[in-house]
Amino acid sequence: MYFDTHAHYDDKAFDADRETLLLACWDAGVELIIDPGCEAGSSRAAIELAEKLDFVYAAVGIHPEELASCDEDSLLEIRNLAEHPKCVAIGEIGLDYYWDDTHKAEQKQLFRWQIELALETGKPVIVHDREAHGDCLEIVKDYPGLQGVFHCYSGSAEMAKELLKRGWYLGFDGPVTYKNARKTIEVLEICPLDRMLIETDSPYLSPVPMRGKRNDSRNLCYVVEKIAEVKGISTEEVEKITMENGKRLFRIE
Ligand code: NI
């Protein structure tokens, strides 16, 4: 049984077959899914999907790539959606200097605003950190009570230790199956079993052997196989532990 803690089923890539596909995922053993929003509209769509399907939960937030779409109204909408009973986290939020390194100050301000919303509403955060490791770490260190996951973790093993010490979870996705995954495998080796989550980031980041195709939660089996191999445990154990971890962090019964 799988818990995909990060899949964008509100994405237009799923417009043609969204609900049929989600039911096929359920049939394949995907028991829980979190759909994180990327701006106000997709956060609303994630909540609507979660209202329709019992096993789908939502996170709401403004992704750093969507900085330009962010205004007073969208922040107000995120604040309102955060109160929804099926909203289990604030995300996907963070810093992305690969996408845009000219608005660092604005990205940081939006990240902090959303972290503070998470603390006010008592929810964990789902962090996107792309080529912004130092600044992400510095910001989360300012909020000792904050809980959450570094989604598709791509930092060093050194930084992972800092995060783990502070109670953070690390998300592992399709890239663990790629040939050049050495750095991520090192992180996987030092990550305690009770702090790892499995994610697809669907429709993106398809694992080997599905690389290049649209991703969906059924492909978690390839991520699980790789984790089992690195940690020297069975795939069933990886499924069970990551299910428990996800339920604990996102407070799902
Ligand atoms: Ni994502």
Side-chain angles (χ1 to χ4, degrees):
M1 298 298 186
Y2 303 101
F3 185 176
D4 186 351
T5 56
H6 197 117
H8 300 282
Y9 284 109
D10 61 273
D11 193 281
K12 62 179 182 317
F14 298 111
D15 280 354
D17 61 348
R18 183 170 291 109
E19 287 180 38
T20 332
L21 175 66
L22 280 162
L23 295 174
C25 289
W26 171 265
D27 286 338
V30 182
E31 220 175 48
L32 287 168
I33 294 171
I34 295 175
D35 182 339
C38 292
E39 33 73 49
S42 74
S43 296
R44 200 186 317 124
I47 291 280
E48 282 166 6
L49 196 57
E51 282 176 340
K52 263 188 235 164
L53 296 167
D54 272 357
F55 71 110
V56 177
Y57 287 79
V60 302
I62 300 174
H63 190 292
E65 278 186 28
E66 299 293 338
L67 181 70
S69 81
C70 177
D71 57 18
E72 294 263 318
D73 286 347
S74 53
L75 291 176
L76 185 64
E77 179 154 24
I78 295 294
R79 184 178 281 285
N80 289 334
L81 291 171
E83 304 290 345
H84 192 281
K86 288 204 81 180
C87 170
V88 292
I90 305 300
E92 147 170 22
I93 63 173
L95 304 174
D96 192 323
Y97 297 164
Y98 174 83
W99 169 259
D100 174 11
D101 67 356
T102 58
H103 297 90
K104 291 185 180 177
E106 293 87 342
Q107 285 193 32
K108 288 185 197 173
Q109 192 188 10
L110 177 61
F111 188 23
R112 286 185 186 272
W113 186 91
Q114 297 186 96
I115 287 176
E116 283 156 26
L117 175 63
L119 289 169
E120 273 170 45
T121 53
K123 292 182 202 259
V125 291
I126 298 172
V127 176
H128 171 98
D129 162 19
R130 192 162 181 207
E131 297 188 11
H133 308 315
D135 284 354
C136 277
L137 181 61
E138 198 183 295
I139 288 177
V140 302
K141 273 183 175 173
D142 282 345
Y143 303 92
L146 184 66
Q147 282 197 308
V149 56
F150 267 62
H151 144 64
C152 194
Y153 182 76
S154 60
S156 64
E158 222 42 51
M159 174 168 154
K161 285 179 194 160
E162 286 292 316
L163 291 170
L164 291 163
K165 203 166 70 188
R166 292 175 165 75
W168 286 82
Y169 289 73
L170 304 178
F172 296 95
D173 303 50
V176 299
T177 66
Y178 300 172
K179 270 211 180 85
N180 61 358
R182 192 190 48 80
K183 203 168 111 185
T184 312
I185 299 297
E186 268 174 42
V187 173
L188 199 47
E189 280 166 351
I190 61 134
C191 185
L193 293 175
D194 65 354
R195 296 299 186 74
M196 53 177 63
L197 297 175
I198 49 172
E199 315 175 324
T200 55
D201 207 18
S202 295
Y204 314 107
L205 302 181
S206 291
V208 174
M210 299 303 202
R211 231 181 147 172
K213 298 189 182 138
R214 183 183 72 170
N215 201 5
D216 70 63
S217 304
R218 293 173 296 183
N219 294 332
L220 275 178
C221 57
Y222 303 108
V223 175
V224 164
E225 262 170 40
K226 188 69 195 181
I227 295 176
E229 179 195 316
V230 173
K231 300 305 264 186
I233 58 176
S234 69
T235 53
E236 290 77 12
E237 278 174 285
V238 175
E239 289 172 36
K240 182 170 173 281
I241 290 163
T242 53
M243 175 69 74
E244 288 168 1
N245 294 346
K247 285 183 172 175
R248 186 187 324 115
L249 176 62
F250 298 108
R251 296 174 209 132
I252 295 171
E253 286 305 307

